[in-house]
Amino acid sequence: MAKKTVATLQGSSKRLTKAIKMVKSPKTGAYTFVEQVMSPELVNDWLSKK
């Protein structure tokens, strides 16, 4: 039974990308890192947003 469950999980996996962006805090002026896991098609749109 466990083998069937593992095979099902592997077959339905999606390709994901972890994007990391540096964002400057308007209050302190320090840079922070914002991370998000998403589909590779959405990375450029997410990085271009402010």
Side-chain angles (χ1 to χ4, degrees):
M1 191 68 174
K3 288 183 181 179
K4 184 177 181 182
T5 304
V6 172
T8 304
L9 290 174
Q10 288 178 351
S12 66
S13 66
K14 293 183 179 180
R15 186 171 161 225
L16 298 173
T17 302
K18 182 177 185 179
I20 303 171
K21 176 170 53 170
M22 277 180 45
V23 178
K24 187 173 184 178
S25 172
K27 191 172 186 179
T28 63
Y31 285 94
T32 59
F33 293 96
V34 179
E35 300 178 3
Q36 189 168 356
V37 177
M38 65 189 80
S39 175
E41 295 84 25
L42 302 174
V43 173
N44 288 334
D45 294 334
W46 184 73
L47 288 174
S48 65
K49 286 186 196 176
K50 283 194 171 189

